Amino acid sequence: MTRPRILALAELKPQDMADRLAADYRVIRDIGDAADVEAVLTAGNIGLSGAQMARLPALRLIAVNGVGVDAVDLAEARRRGIAVTTTPDVLSLAVAEMALGLALAAGRRIAEGDRFVRAGQWSSGGKLGLGLSLLERRAGILGYGRIGRRLADLLRGMGMEVLYTARHEKPDTPDGFRPDALALARDCALLFVTAAGGEDTRGLVDADVLAALGSAGILVNVARGPVVDAGALAAALDAGAIAGAGLDVFDDEPNVPQALLDAPNCVLTPHIGSATAEARRAMAQLVLDNIAAYFAGRPLPTPYEAWHALPLHR
Ligand code: NAP
């Protein structure tokens, strides 16, 4: 039997997972050569635009290697009955770990301390100054979904009190609800952003929220860049309106605004929240499972929305 052709706009990692994909499918990389392909493999930060979908008349499945679908034109996919799958849950621990790492790095000045030692400032008699203790604080989580709740479990496990906000209050949690980002920021000193991306959440963390977090406050964003107003954040860091920030995601990746690059109290990482060997392997397995289910006419294991939870008829 001839192997189906799929268009891969993203890589699977580790390499043996990419090899498995190549063993089962004829993987093409050029959208100009993909008019007959039924399945696209993409990543959360790459997505698939409506203009790209228009070049793929046979498209029936968009398999996202990640959970963010803000870069996929969902309305167009829904209109054409194209299924979208993601890799939920299996990356939540990795991203929660990253959020914790960024918080500690910002509050305890770990990245700054590393630069300080390497630059010879310690050996030449310099002193870095004091950091802020984090684990004695009340934490706030903006976006209480799979990642936010996993993070809340870790924080509670370390003895922290946790508050959260989301679109809807959750009945099944020990953590306290606040109705919006402002109310949350007023009541915590360590604010984690783990909300979905997209237009609904654009600029949820603005100058008012940062002012409410306060001059001892730490902000961590592992969700999507646009959820935080980067200009307001740079101004707040510069003015000391908040104490520090840890950012894994940005508006225009891989470009980072100069004002954030210049801020010593801001820890920056290159969108690596899910980039552990363990999480990437589990994500790749889910991608392979979804593509295999599609070509076998079986129900998709992890459809993004229920409208395409049923088997697709080829
Ligand atoms: P999820 O389970 O869908 O959770 C999303 C949460 O966002 C939900 O709690 C939802 O509220 C909340 N939300 C949506 N719109 C909101 C609004 N307008 N105001 C307040 N809260 C809102 O998603 P997830 O798997 O936890 O992923 C969370 C985020 O992490 C996404 O942005 C994703 O792209 C990002 N991510 C980043 C990395 C990385 O490498 N840094 C890796 C993976 C994922 P309800 O619960 O009330 O619906």
Side-chain angles (χ1 to χ4, degrees):
M1 206 182 92
T2 40
R3 291 171 301 154
R5 279 157 55 88
I6 66 163
L7 173 63
L9 301 176
E11 303 289 340
L12 285 188
K13 291 210 173 75
Q15 184 57 41
D16 60 311
M17 303 304 268
D19 295 344
R20 280 179 53 193
L21 184 79
D24 291 344
Y25 305 96
R26 284 176 294 155
V27 178
I28 57 172
R29 303 272 170 195
D30 179 3
I31 195 168
D33 185 31
D36 63 333
V37 304
E38 296 178 27
V40 165
L41 160 58
T42 185
N45 59 337
I46 297 173
L48 196 71
S49 68
Q52 287 174 307
M53 285 182 218
R55 300 178 67 185
L56 302 167
L59 189 62
R60 302 286 288 131
L61 173 70
I62 301 168
V64 180
N65 188 22
V67 290
V69 287
D70 45 300
V72 175
D73 187 338
L74 284 178
E76 181 61 6
R78 190 181 289 120
R79 190 188 69 76
R80 283 183 47 187
I82 300 167
V84 179
T85 61
T86 59
T87 63
D89 293 320
V90 295
L91 46 61
S92 296
L93 179 63
V95 182
E97 265 179 3
M98 190 69 204
L100 207 51
L102 283 171
L104 290 167
R108 297 303 310 275
R109 307 178 72 167
I110 292 172
E112 213 183 334
D114 181 87
R115 292 194 296 272
F116 186 85
V117 173
R118 288 174 199 280
Q121 288 173 268
W122 190 31
S123 55
S124 57
K127 292 271 185 288
L128 184 61
L130 300 180
L132 295 163
S133 176
L134 295 177
L135 300 186
E136 295 165 80
R137 289 167 174 229
R138 202 191 265 158
I141 300 186
L142 168 53
Y144 199 68
R146 298 180 186 93
I147 294 170
R149 294 190 73 143
R150 198 74 174 90
L151 176 61
D153 292 342
L154 298 179
L155 298 174
R156 248 184 278 109
M158 295 189 300
M160 296 178 78
E161 186 183 346
V162 180
L163 305 174
Y164 74 96
T165 191
R167 284 175 298 193
H168 314 286
E169 187 171 359
K170 317 294 172 195
D172 57 340
T173 172
D175 303 327
F177 178 70
R178 293 293 181 273
D180 54 40
L182 192 57
L184 184 68
R186 279 193 190 117
D187 287 346
C188 70
L190 171 57
L191 180 60
F192 292 99
V193 182
T194 53
E199 284 312 307
D200 287 354
T201 55
R202 181 177 291 277
L204 268 186
V205 177
D206 58 11
D208 291 342
V209 170
L210 294 166
L213 190 58
S215 58
I218 302 276
L219 175 81
V220 172
N221 186 8
V222 291
R224 284 291 183 262
V227 185
V228 175
D229 178 334
L233 175 60
L237 287 166
D238 188 48
I242 66 169
L247 308 173
D248 187 46
V249 287
F250 305 89
D251 285 10
D252 178 30
E253 297 174 4
N255 303 306
V256 176
Q258 192 60 43
L260 295 178
L261 293 171
D262 290 342
N265 47 349
C266 185
V267 180
L268 307 167
T269 51
H271 200 147
I272 52 172
S274 69
T276 65
E278 295 84 354
R280 287 293 165 88
R281 176 174 294 280
M283 290 163 66
Q285 184 63 56
L286 264 185
V287 170
L288 293 174
D289 290 348
N290 277 295
I291 296 174
Y294 166 72
F295 282 109
R298 294 193 304 267
L300 301 170
T302 50
Y304 173 65
E305 278 183 16
W307 94 81
H308 48 56
L310 298 172
L312 293 171
H313 298 292
R314 304 184 60 221

